[in-house]
Amino acid sequence: MTFLRCTASVAVLLATVLPLAATTPAHAAGGPSCRTAVSAPLDAEQARLADARTTALVERAGFEEFVLRFPAALCGVRSSTETERLLDGWGEALWQAAVRRAQGQRPGGDLPVGDDRPLYWTRLAMTTALARWEPPFAVDRRALRARFEDASRGLTDNAFRTSPGVRRVFISGFDPFGLDAELRRANPSGSAALQLNGRRITLADGSRAEIRAVTLPVRYADFDAGMVERAFAPRLAGGSGAADVITTVSQGYPGIFTLEAWAGRSRSADPYPDNTGSLSGGTREHPVAAPDLGPGPEFIRTTLPADTVTDSVRTPYPVLLNTAVTEIPAGGTTPVDRSDGPTTGSRAVAGGGGGYLSNEVAYRSNRLRGELAPHLPGGHLHTPVLTGLPADPRLLTGPEFEQNENAITAEVRTVLEHVAARP
């Protein structure tokens, strides 16, 4: 494999992808706003950038210019307001570059176009630069990072194009996770989000639909700070930006798709950490609800047309309806696994998708749907586990891995074609 680094491709990148704020102002070089703190504390996600394979995943997608030019762009701002505008522009440019690459509209690098990993590692490299930047004026670093995260994940400047008669489908995917065990991991739900964002598709009933997507972090803190609600509220509040169908998507079980019948209110996945190494504080024996989570039932049932999907979509992976939950029955103290859904008055331990963030994104989005747009279909789809990475840890991709990633995304699209069809 060879890297595609030619002057022409860089020129196209600079002209069509990077925001205008990317150019380095004359006053920036050597100025006080260019001070950086190399020893600035990094979180566990950012610390993984020390592995050279993460740099290769950025460069082999043609995204290195984002990482190289971003620090200089930070040097050019002179106020918090300018910083906010710059982060909005760069975040949105990174998101659009990743979407265009995933859809074959932007050449660059030799990784498969649908690969979601370059976006993930580029974003982390840029947030590391933000963490190390020492501006000559006061900033709220947490708020600035949240602003950049939102923009680079599709939460901003990603509205439906209004068109009469076209259904609007809104989905979310996730970042890669479990990276301490295997740094090369991708997430097929994130790949599907990139490949499908903005696409017009023909539904099973012959009508047309537009898909809009976001990718979410595997971090409890971002969920606690309301990222799921920020992503879904504009799609549920009515008006021209509202969706007709929502579904969250994440990676689930080997060899099958599952529509989750039930989302549970609780976190219970400890000792399994999130991508920063943080724990939720909830276990199977002692589940907990997320802090400041709005009011809602212990379990929320999907309103997606599950029977239609499971009857119609069968290859290359079967699609099953998962009705399992784990609950603490009313008056009890011990968790009970049930295959047929929750019983009256029970406390949630885990939904069909477990007690981790894939369950929580389903609960949060559908709790909000029940509050703002209860008539809308909504639920959660688990994809098969993405397998096929080469045994040699130095190899970042391979034919089996790429084939499996493409097959999963194609079937996500097929599921959406049935989910969004009019009843």
Side-chain angles (χ1 to χ4, degrees):
M1 297 182 181
T2 60
F3 294 178
L4 302 181
R5 298 185 192 172
C6 63
T7 303
S9 65
V10 172
V12 170
L13 173 72
L14 299 182
T16 64
V17 176
L18 297 186
L20 295 177
T23 55
T24 307
H27 70 267
S33 60
C34 283
R35 292 176 53 191
T36 60
V38 177
S39 61
L42 304 180
D43 62 34
E45 263 187 310
Q46 294 166 330
R48 296 189 188 101
L49 291 165
D51 191 308
R53 292 174 296 177
T54 66
T55 301
L57 285 165
V58 172
E59 293 178 345
R60 290 176 60 180
F63 284 1
E64 65 266 39
E65 286 296 320
F66 280 97
V67 178
L68 294 174
R69 294 176 65 88
F70 184 58
L74 285 172
C75 287
V77 297
R78 296 185 172 185
S79 69
S80 293
T81 300
E82 285 186 20
T83 306
E84 291 173 356
R85 288 200 299 266
L86 179 135
L87 294 176
D88 289 345
W90 278 80
E92 289 166 4
L94 177 59
W95 170 254
Q96 294 300 334
V99 168
R100 287 199 290 271
R101 186 178 189 280
Q103 297 179 15
Q105 300 167 7
R106 176 186 175 273
D110 64 346
L111 288 177
V113 294
D115 201 323
D116 66 308
R117 297 173 295 175
L119 171 61
Y120 174 73
W121 292 111
T122 302
R123 182 191 298 113
L124 279 176
M126 294 172 75
T127 62
T128 297
L130 182 62
R132 289 172 170 167
W133 174 53
E134 291 191 336
F137 47 86
V139 295
D140 183 337
R141 290 188 182 274
R142 181 175 296 182
L144 290 179
R145 179 167 178 179
R147 194 176 190 108
F148 178 76
E149 292 272 352
D150 281 8
S152 66
R153 294 179 176 281
L155 272 70
T156 64
D157 193 29
N158 193 22
F160 289 104
R161 299 187 299 269
T162 56
S163 184
V166 176
R167 302 271 283 171
R168 297 181 294 269
V169 182
F170 187 67
I171 68 172
S172 66
F174 270 109
D175 287 347
F177 65 99
L179 300 169
D180 288 332
E182 174 53 85
L183 188 79
R184 298 174 296 165
R185 280 182 177 153
N187 193 320
S189 69
S191 176
L194 291 173
Q195 293 189 59
L196 296 175
N197 184 64
R199 294 278 196 187
R200 292 284 182 96
I201 63 173
T202 301
L203 303 179
D205 62 359
S207 63
R208 298 284 287 168
E210 178 185 345
I211 301 170
R212 288 288 163 176
V214 296
T215 58
L216 299 172
V218 184
R219 297 190 298 245
Y220 287 112
D222 294 77
F223 275 51
D224 293 345
M227 181 178 280
V228 176
E229 288 77 8
R230 292 199 303 276
F232 280 86
R235 316 301 184 175
L236 296 169
S240 60
D244 297 302
V245 180
I246 65 165
T247 186
T248 51
V249 187
S250 66
Q251 182 176 230
Y253 310 99
I256 59 171
F257 276 84
T258 55
L259 282 169
E260 302 303 336
W262 298 95
R265 185 174 175 83
S266 297
R267 295 172 172 175
S268 58
D270 294 356
Y272 191 81
D274 70 7
N275 272 352
T276 65
S278 300
L279 298 173
S280 71
T283 65
R284 177 182 168 90
E285 290 72 27
H286 300 286
V288 300
D292 300 319
L293 184 61
E298 288 295 304
F299 291 96
I300 298 176
R301 187 178 180 92
T302 185
T303 54
L304 296 176
D307 290 344
T308 299
V309 176
T310 56
D311 290 344
S312 303
V313 186
R314 299 176 180 174
T315 58
Y317 303 97
V319 183
L320 308 177
L321 177 64
N322 182 18
T323 58
V325 299
T326 302
E327 65 174 15
I328 297 175
T333 57
T334 303
V336 175
D337 296 325
R338 297 185 58 86
S339 62
D340 56 351
T343 56
T344 302
S346 66
R347 182 182 178 190
V349 176
Y356 195 47
L357 290 169
S358 59
N359 168 79
E360 186 167 325
V361 72
Y363 185 90
R364 283 180 177 272
S365 60
N366 283 283
R367 187 203 69 81
L368 194 64
R369 177 186 57 78
E371 180 181 304
L372 299 178
H375 59 286
L376 256 61
H380 186 80
L381 175 68
H382 263 125
T383 75
V385 174
L386 177 56
T387 59
L389 281 169
D392 185 342
R394 296 170 298 179
L395 299 178
L396 301 181
T397 188
E400 182 184 354
F401 174 79
E402 295 171 18
Q403 180 180 351
N404 291 342
E405 185 173 57
N406 290 335
I408 291 172
T409 291
E411 193 160 336
V412 170
R413 175 172 174 161
T414 303
V415 169
L416 295 178
E417 290 170 357
H418 288 82
V419 160
R422 288 180 174 83

